[in-house]
Amino acid sequence: MRLFVSEGAPGSLPVLAAARRAQGRAELLISTVGPEECVVPFLTQPKVPVLQLDNGNYLFSTSAICRYFFLLSGWEQDDLTNQWLEWEATELQPALSAALYYLVVQGKKGEDVLGPVRRALTHIDHSLSRRSCPFLAGETESLADIVLWGALYPLLQDPAYLPEELGALHSWFQTVSSQEPCQRAAETVLKQQGVLALRPYLQKQPQPSSLQGRAVSNEPEEEELATLSEEEIAMAVTAWEKGLGNLPPLRPPQNPVLPVAGERNVLITSALPYVNNVPHLGNIIGCVLSADVFARYSRLRQWNTLYLCGTDEYGTATETKAMEEGLTPQEICDKYHAIHADIYRWFNISFDIFGRTTTPQQTKITQDIFQRLFSRGFVLQDTVEQLRCEQCARFLADRFVEGVCPFCGYEEARGDQCDKCGKLINATELKKPQCKVCRSCPVVKSSQHLFLDLPKLEKRLEEWLENTLPGSDWTPNARFIIRSWLRDGLKPRCITRDLKWGTPVPLEGFEDKVFYVWFDATIGYLSITANYTDQWERWWKNPEQVSLYQFMAKDNVPFHGLVFPCSALGAEDNYTLVSHLIATEYLNYEDGKFSKSRGVGVFGDMAQDTGIPADIWRFYLLYIRPEGQDSAFSWTDMLLKNNSELLNNLGNFINRAGMFVSKFFGGYVPEMVLTSDDQRLLAHVTLELQHYHQLLEKVRIRDALRSILTISRHGNQYIQVNEPWKRIKGSEADRQRAGTVTGLAVNIAALLSVMLQPYMPTVSATIQAQLQLPPPACGILLTNFLCTLPAGHLIGTVSPLFQKLENDQIESLRQRFGGGQLEESLELKVITSPPRRYTKLEVGGRVMVAGDTLLLFPRQKCPPSQQLERL
Amino acid sequence: VKGTNTALRASARKLLVILEVVVSFECEGRSETPRSSVVNGKQQIPVLQTNNGPSLTGLTTIAAHLVKQANKEYLLGSTAEEKAIVQQWLEYRVTRVDGHSSKDDIRALLKDLNSYLEDKVYLTGYNFTLADILLYYGLHRFIVDLTVQEKEKYLNVSRWFCHIQHYPGIRQHLSSVVFIKNRLYTNSH
């Protein structure tokens, strides 16, 4: 084996001392390398000492090298040694490296150096004297002694840094230092120069992280605040002092909301949920709830905001569902539209409009866009071979056909996919096909269909993307999906279907066909707006003045980022196109196992029955929002987050702040005389508030929620350190201090209530009622922290905001949702839009229709995992 | 964290007990956000109070103790080399992974680990040890937050992590992290 050391590297001390233990057990070569030489191939940062083992592996930890030498000598590991070594690595080293840095690199002396390590030294001293053993782990010198001695030697060899009062440490250190291996190691490393021998090495090392972040002995808060400049503090104080006077007047509510020239006009859509299902948690977080947070935030910023959504009602899936339930498609739509609307109302989604796609406006606008595309030559006609049931007198959608799988011979393969072998099937290839409705055998017939000529529109699309994407807030997954579609080249897409339940195709020869949903579903946003106001074109044909934010799960990206823009660009009617496409990843349920069957999961209407308030659901779903990566809903985690973040952190802080005002000051906000510490806190809160704004402007909803929790954490710490409940009983000065702390804390609570509004609107309103926050302060959020509850303000009655979730309660919910939905499976799956069903659309190409939203995948026959790859 | 030797000995599934102790501490002590692991300016450190001995302090110390109690010493390594390597990675866990862990720190750490694991199934090479378990627990909160692209970038870490999380009884109630088997971002590296 080979040991690599470096001149002046302090780690050499214990390693060389311990090496004597292994003498005669193995051959040891020692090489000296430069301090910046990377010896270990897998480590980016240089590290010495390093021991290269005979099998090629490396030990790069000083303690591990020493341990290895001891193990070679036949020593056995014990708990006490492990404990010392763990303490050395986690507590002593950070303190020591700070002390050595001050001493050797910065040339400081005395308490500056001793300060960081005093606690650690005392700890060793106490342990030694309590156990009354001469050595750390017992009666004889052992590994722990060598490792700690080696770490401490550079500092303690200077008697100035070995405090007299620590007698036990003193005698231990003398004893170990006098051992021959230690003496030799010390001579080799320090070369009689004392601690300065370490200088060439330490100078080349990065500053110890214990100096950059929190120092071991200091409060984290102080360290973070230390990075604020005087200027930032002064600005925060000025803004604070202006208080309510800083607030602009509230924007008066308008009906209808229309774009205003010269203002920021924000149009927000959430993907239209497919009507034939009750939405589940995944739908809710993926689209409506995410969009709702942004819409509420946008209104708090006083931006002119319109938030719309609605149910997507046309298509095969509705017809199927209608057949299942023995209703007409219209009845199904009416029934489920009401269910959707109820659920979103319960979740407190602040739609300006919640419409539907089965309206005359939808027909009018869709047909208009089609006519424009048709007359400009962007529509092709082609023949498609399809199965037709003569008895039912209609072409069969894939899900209406069953037969024998051509691959595995399974008898009940569906027209789109075999449940047994999982392969995707072309319905015309099914053996012994049967119409699912009448069980007769369908025949292959050709049928005329219309295709949108996407290749012809590709260039326009690319130009538009080039102008739109840079500097926009399109999520990375959306960019990636669109890029990969373009890279593969666009193909003509069929836009008609042999169905009755849809928008009629206004063309001779196509009277018994309708538009396929993926062509007209995104037009739903326009028609829903048109049902809201006859001036809808001011939103939708106004790209100069309107910023369009569209929220969806990632599977919906192709429709919004590609198909609709192509239709709109081809129609040449100055449509407003998406400026910011916000796509989430998937939300899984519990341990993430797929349940491929029909719409299984936790559904919106069941959330109501859990007894857990809507705001708690909102909070947890937003806390785990699949932002940038998939995430999972977990009952246990929900309990933890509720009890730790909401109850113990946020709720605790806001409640205490309010209670102090009530209990100690008769409900009147006390006078605040800010000390420099308070001013720093102001600046710190301001900084976090600005961070919150930066994140939400970029629609980083989940991350911005963390800022709220951080502020309340600081608030708790502030109260904890200043102890107003003690000071209130003290001298006049103490009482004044208690007043200031209470006043500042309750103002932070007021700020939090506004920041929380997009996430937990009901809780926010409750806090604001408890604090009697003036209305303009409730409805506007500036980038500065203002004193909105000035001295003398009378607050209302304060009461706790959150309830603890108990293990039993959560466990019974888990079981209920495990068993209730689907008997055979305890592991339910919620996914924003699972690719469950595949419907053949055109020869070779595939459109998948999920239970809730449309999925469109490029033509390719491959299992879902590989399709993911295509995205 | 409290446990008794009798309870530990009585348990037929001792490893599970160890894991539960360790995981429950980790979940209570740090509710995912790194900051909350700091209470009153101090990182929370577990203490094990045993009936017939002094208390033990420190995550890896307690874990090693419980492993021995459960007669699963092989989890600490069998040769001198392996034992030292296990301890080295345990130390890495409590110093580097549980350190201040800024995004950059984590990226650097994952990069190193990725390169280390290139030719290894487990941290010691071929044997599953306590180092794999504790590093898995420690990294979970970061791996959960990786994007699909990052998971691919740290392919060896992902492979190792996915392997460990599927090890019977290891994952406990931590969420299962989804890894996609096919590469999506083949151009990015």
Side-chain angles (χ1 to χ4, degrees):
Chain A
M1 56 193 171
R2 191 164 166 199
L3 182 67
F4 295 87
V5 293
S6 192
E7 295 277 325
S12 307
L13 275 164
V15 165
L16 291 177
R20 297 290 295 270
R21 285 278 180 149
Q23 244 175 14
R25 314 257 168 184
E27 193 180 333
L28 180 67
L29 296 171
I30 299 182
S31 312
T32 305
V33 296
E36 282 155 303
E37 202 166 317
C38 288
V39 181
V40 187
F42 54 85
L43 292 182
T44 328
Q45 294 294 325
K47 190 100 172 62
V48 279
V50 162
L51 184 70
Q52 187 180 13
L53 301 170
D54 291 336
N55 66 5
N57 216 328
Y58 291 89
L59 293 177
F60 55 84
S61 141
T62 302
S63 301
I65 298 172
C66 297
R67 186 187 291 261
Y68 180 60
F69 290 143
F70 269 75
L71 285 164
L72 282 180
S73 76
W75 168 84
E76 296 215 9
Q77 318 192 59
D78 60 275
D79 287 339
L80 202 49
T81 306
N82 286 346
Q83 180 170 285
W84 274 118
L85 263 55
E86 182 171 359
W87 179 82
E88 192 267 345
T90 54
E91 304 281 325
L92 181 61
Q93 277 300 342
L96 258 179
S97 55
L100 284 176
Y101 192 81
Y102 287 136
L103 177 67
V104 179
V105 180
Q106 297 190 335
K108 293 188 181 167
K109 296 224 173 338
E111 196 52 36
D112 283 346
V113 175
L114 201 51
V117 285
R118 192 180 283 279
R119 230 179 64 191
L121 296 181
T122 311
H123 173 77
I124 302 174
D125 182 69
H126 285 184
S127 304
L128 286 165
S129 53
R130 196 173 53 236
R131 293 170 46 85
S132 61
C133 283
F135 295 101
L136 293 172
E139 293 299 329
T140 52
E141 185 202 67
S142 181
L143 175 61
D145 302 292
I146 296 295
V147 169
L148 267 79
W149 170 85
L152 291 165
Y153 185 78
L155 190 68
L156 300 193
Q157 49 88 30
D158 181 345
Y161 298 110
L162 183 47
E164 280 296 325
E165 69 271 20
L166 305 179
L169 174 69
H170 220 271
S171 63
W172 168 81
F173 183 71
Q174 298 303 343
T175 313
V176 181
S177 298
S178 64
Q179 310 277 325
E180 207 226 67
C182 293
Q183 271 182 4
R184 289 248 207 119
E187 278 163 25
T188 314
V189 177
L190 296 188
K191 303 189 167 90
Q192 315 283 339
Q193 298 169 22
V195 75
L196 287 181
L198 304 184
R199 193 163 180 182
Y201 178 82
L202 288 180
Q203 267 178 337
K204 292 217 161 62
Q205 300 303 306
Q207 194 185 7
S209 50
S210 45
L211 292 183
Q212 299 160 4
R214 61 196 165 88
V216 204
S217 54
N218 285 346
E219 296 289 323
E221 170 127 341
E222 288 171 32
E223 280 306 304
E224 282 173 40
L225 279 170
T227 59
L228 291 166
S229 71
E230 292 303 318
E231 208 181 340
E232 283 173 307
I233 295 172
M235 275 164 62
V237 173
T238 312
W240 158 269
E241 281 167 353
K242 277 195 191 155
L244 287 168
N246 248 357
L247 286 173
L250 267 177
R251 162 188 278 282
Q254 285 173 329
N255 193 19
V257 184
L258 292 170
V260 179
E263 287 202 25
R264 179 155 181 180
N265 300 298
V266 180
L267 177 57
I268 300 169
T269 73
S270 141
L272 306 179
Y274 202 78
V275 80
N276 74 341
N277 257 327
V278 179
H280 47 61
L281 297 183
N283 295 123
I284 290 163
I285 183 61
C287 317
V288 288
L289 181 52
S290 296
D292 184 57
V293 173
F294 189 70
R296 287 172 178 275
Y297 172 73
S298 171
R299 295 186 193 111
L300 277 180
R301 293 298 297 272
Q302 301 270 289
W303 298 335
N304 188 32
T305 307
L306 183 72
Y307 173 25
L308 66 99
C309 185
T311 41
D312 173 18
E313 306 195 342
Y314 284 133
T316 328
T318 307
E319 282 194 354
T320 318
K321 191 80 175 181
M323 217 176 287
E324 272 171 34
E325 298 199 10
L327 298 170
T328 65
Q330 186 62 58
E331 285 167 338
I332 278 289
C333 293
D334 294 348
K335 176 182 161 188
Y336 280 93
H337 176 80
I339 292 176
H340 276 265
D342 280 348
I343 289 170
Y344 301 140
R345 200 173 302 123
W346 186 77
F347 274 100
N348 232 319
I349 306 296
S350 64
F351 299 126
D352 292 293
I353 326 161
F354 184 70
R356 46 204 302 190
T357 54
T358 52
T359 65
Q361 287 288 359
Q362 175 77 4
T363 309
K364 194 175 144 204
I365 298 170
T366 307
Q367 291 187 347
D368 173 58
I369 292 179
F370 169 75
Q371 293 287 12
R372 289 178 151 267
L373 287 165
F374 189 74
S375 64
R376 284 166 178 75
F378 293 120
V379 177
L380 306 168
Q381 266 192 46
D382 205 355
T383 309
V384 177
E385 299 221 309
Q386 269 184 286
L387 292 174
R388 182 180 164 88
C389 175
E390 297 293 358
Q391 193 158 329
C392 301
R394 60 181 198 157
F395 286 97
L396 297 178
D398 290 347
R399 61 182 61 191
F400 285 101
V401 193
E402 266 181 17
V404 177
C405 173
F407 304 104
C408 73
Y410 179 61
E411 301 261 336
E412 289 169 47
R414 300 196 308 262
D416 50 359
Q417 192 177 17
C418 173
D419 276 339
K420 192 163 178 216
C421 68
K423 290 208 171 90
L424 300 185
I425 298 169
N426 218 330
T428 51
E429 293 165 2
L430 271 182
K431 291 179 194 161
K432 295 191 206 157
Q434 276 190 343
C435 167
K436 247 181 114 172
V437 179
C438 69
R439 292 289 157 196
S440 64
C441 180
V443 292
V444 178
K445 283 251 167 134
S446 53
S447 170
Q448 282 290 309
H449 280 282
L450 298 172
F451 290 75
L452 185 59
D453 196 349
L454 292 178
K456 219 169 166 178
L457 289 160
E458 193 167 335
K459 203 159 174 284
R460 294 186 193 202
L461 182 79
E462 279 178 9
E463 276 170 23
W464 167 70
L465 286 170
E466 268 170 40
N467 292 324
T468 306
L469 287 183
S472 79
D473 298 327
W474 281 51
T475 50
N477 54 356
R479 290 168 195 259
F480 187 80
I481 289 166
I482 297 300
R483 243 199 328 269
S484 65
W485 275 59
L486 286 172
R487 188 189 59 211
D488 297 344
L490 300 179
K491 320 259 176 334
R493 289 276 152 181
C494 187
I495 56 170
T496 50
R497 292 288 283 166
D498 292 290
L499 271 185
K500 293 192 183 69
W501 189 242
T503 304
V505 180
L507 197 66
E508 224 182 293
F510 288 85
E511 289 82 359
D512 52 354
K513 296 186 202 297
V514 297
F515 284 112
Y516 197 56
V517 277
W518 70 257
F519 175 68
D520 80 340
T522 42
I523 298 173
Y525 300 119
L526 284 60
S527 74
I528 287 168
T529 315
N531 281 307
Y532 166 75
T533 167
D534 54 5
Q535 301 181 69
W536 66 275
E537 292 180 340
R538 288 178 59 189
W539 281 109
W540 286 100
K541 294 186 183 176
N542 192 359
E544 294 79 20
Q545 290 182 358
V546 174
S547 291
L548 174 57
Y549 285 80
Q550 300 200 289
F551 287 79
M552 66 204 70
K554 65 179 171 191
D555 45 42
N556 243 316
V557 170
F559 298 96
H560 293 78
L562 204 137
V563 176
F564 180 74
C566 277
S567 306
L569 290 165
E572 296 175 358
D573 209 5
N574 194 33
Y575 282 105
T576 305
L577 297 178
V578 57
S579 338
H580 308 283
L581 201 160
I582 315 297
T584 51
E585 302 286 325
Y586 294 135
L587 178 73
N588 300 306
Y589 182 78
E590 289 285 329
D591 68 353
K593 274 188 189 155
F594 275 85
S595 160
K596 284 177 183 143
S597 39
R598 322 132 294 266
V600 172
V602 174
F603 289 80
D605 50 351
M606 298 170 173
Q608 308 181 28
D609 301 335
T610 56
I612 298 171
D615 267 11
I616 306 297
W617 282 101
R618 287 178 63 115
F619 168 82
Y620 181 62
L621 289 173
L622 290 161
Y623 193 95
I624 56 166
R625 179 174 188 259
E627 198 167 288
Q629 63 277 314
D630 290 357
S631 65
F633 173 91
S634 141
W635 287 104
T636 320
D637 188 45
M638 183 167 170
L639 172 139
L640 274 172
K641 293 293 156 4
N642 179 75
N643 295 352
S644 62
E645 293 292 3
L646 288 182
L647 193 72
N648 291 344
N649 176 13
L650 187 67
N652 184 38
F653 169 66
I654 292 174
N655 190 249
R656 283 171 95 187
M659 285 310 288
F660 292 156
V661 177
S662 300
K663 256 168 75 181
F664 304 147
F665 301 96
Y668 291 95
V669 174
E671 284 293 335
M672 290 159 268
V673 185
L674 301 185
T675 65
S676 67
D677 276 355
D678 301 334
Q679 294 182 342
R680 293 169 85 79
L681 180 65
L682 276 189
H684 193 63
V685 170
T686 305
L687 211 65
E688 199 64 48
L689 171 64
Q690 282 161 358
H691 190 49
Y692 167 94
H693 280 298
Q694 283 161 5
L695 289 167
L696 275 180
E697 280 169 17
K698 294 272 168 209
V699 208
R700 305 248 311 265
I701 293 172
R702 190 194 57 182
D703 294 345
L705 181 54
R706 306 292 199 268
S707 293
I708 299 179
L709 299 172
T710 302
I711 291 181
S712 86
R713 217 165 273 136
H714 287 306
N716 270 322
Q717 217 152 26
Y718 177 65
I719 292 182
Q720 207 57 40
V721 168
N722 288 290
E723 305 182 315
W725 63 91
K726 281 190 191 159
R727 289 181 193 263
I728 193 71
K729 297 177 196 142
S731 65
E732 187 54 37
D734 271 343
R735 297 231 303 279
Q736 190 198 48
R737 183 73 195 133
T740 303
V741 172
T742 304
L744 186 49
V746 79
N747 269 286
I748 295 176
L751 172 72
L752 285 171
S753 79
V754 188
M755 292 172 76
L756 200 57
Q757 203 268 350
Y759 295 88
M760 304 180 83
T762 311
V763 170
S764 161
T766 308
I767 302 169
Q768 295 175 348
Q770 290 183 5
L771 300 182
Q772 292 288 304
L773 189 62
C778 297
I780 302 176
L781 188 59
L782 300 184
T783 49
N784 281 315
F785 176 25
L786 313 182
C787 176
T788 51
L789 299 175
H793 170 93
L794 179 61
I795 68 166
T797 312
V798 177
S799 59
L801 298 167
F802 301 111
Q803 285 197 329
K804 190 172 181 192
L805 288 177
E806 300 294 342
N807 269 320
D808 303 355
Q809 185 188 357
I810 283 296
E811 201 45 50
S812 79
L813 285 173
R814 191 211 311 278
Q815 303 222 325
R816 187 164 123 211
F817 285 92
Q821 260 294 300
L822 190 69
E823 295 281 356
E824 65 267 34
S825 163
L826 283 174
E827 289 135 346
L828 307 186
K829 164 74 183 174
V830 178
I831 189 166
T832 35
S833 293
R836 284 187 213 117
R837 294 264 174 181
Y838 305 78
T839 303
K840 199 190 110 216
L841 173 65
E842 57 186 70
V843 186
R846 284 195 174 263
V847 164
M848 297 197 273
V849 182
D852 32 54
T853 35
L854 296 166
L855 314 176
L856 177 60
F857 282 87
R859 62 178 69 198
Q860 201 173 52
K861 278 201 169 190
C862 50
S865 64
Q866 283 168 29
Q867 272 164 352
L868 259 174
E869 184 182 27
R870 300 263 311 143
L871 292 182
Chain B
V1 176
K2 288 194 175 171
T4 64
N5 280 337
T6 32
L8 288 170
R9 288 214 187 86
S11 170
R13 300 179 313 163
K14 286 168 182 164
L15 186 57
L16 288 186
V17 175
I18 298 166
L19 300 180
E20 255 159 51
V21 171
V22 172
V23 178
S24 67
F25 166 71
E26 302 212 356
C27 289
E28 278 158 30
R30 59 185 80 251
S31 56
E32 267 183 39
T33 48
R35 285 183 209 207
S36 64
S37 65
V38 177
V39 173
N40 298 328
K42 214 169 159 285
Q43 186 119 12
Q44 286 205 321
I45 296 163
V47 177
L48 180 76
Q49 186 60 57
T50 55
N51 280 350
N52 51 354
S55 63
L56 286 176
T57 305
L59 184 70
T60 69
T61 305
I62 293 174
H65 170 78
L66 293 174
V67 160
K68 271 183 273 178
Q69 290 290 310
N71 290 326
K72 305 226 180 242
E73 283 201 270
Y74 62 86
L75 286 176
L76 299 175
S78 23
T79 62
E81 274 178 13
E82 212 176 67
K83 284 174 187 168
I85 290 171
V86 168
Q87 292 296 333
Q88 160 164 291
W89 288 104
L90 291 179
E91 180 190 317
Y92 190 82
R93 153 71 212 259
V94 288
T95 53
R96 296 291 310 279
V97 179
D98 296 350
H100 311 158
S101 306
S102 71
K103 280 226 163 98
D104 286 339
D105 287 344
I106 291 305
R107 268 194 288 271
L109 186 151
L110 289 173
K111 185 166 176 274
D112 286 0
L113 204 53
N114 195 54
S115 131
Y116 177 70
L117 286 168
E118 192 166 0
D119 57 353
K120 292 177 185 66
V121 182
Y122 301 105
L123 287 169
T124 59
Y126 299 107
N127 296 317
F128 176 71
T129 63
L130 185 63
D132 295 296
I133 301 177
L134 288 196
L135 202 63
Y136 161 73
Y137 290 143
L139 287 172
H140 187 275
R141 64 191 169 126
F142 303 114
I143 302 286
V144 152
D145 277 348
L146 292 187
T147 61
V148 173
Q149 189 166 7
E150 287 168 320
K151 285 181 202 166
E152 230 171 72
K153 186 173 168 198
Y154 308 116
L155 196 65
N156 302 314
V157 175
S158 294
R159 167 179 51 73
W160 166 84
F161 188 92
C162 192
H163 185 50
I164 304 301
Q165 75 173 352
H166 286 109
Y167 226 83
I170 296 297
R171 184 163 62 77
Q172 305 280 308
H173 65 263
L174 289 176
S175 63
S176 165
V177 179
V178 179
F179 294 92
I180 295 169
K181 293 217 168 62
N182 305 69
R183 286 196 171 194
L184 306 187
Y185 301 89
T186 42
N187 303 332
S188 66
H189 53 102

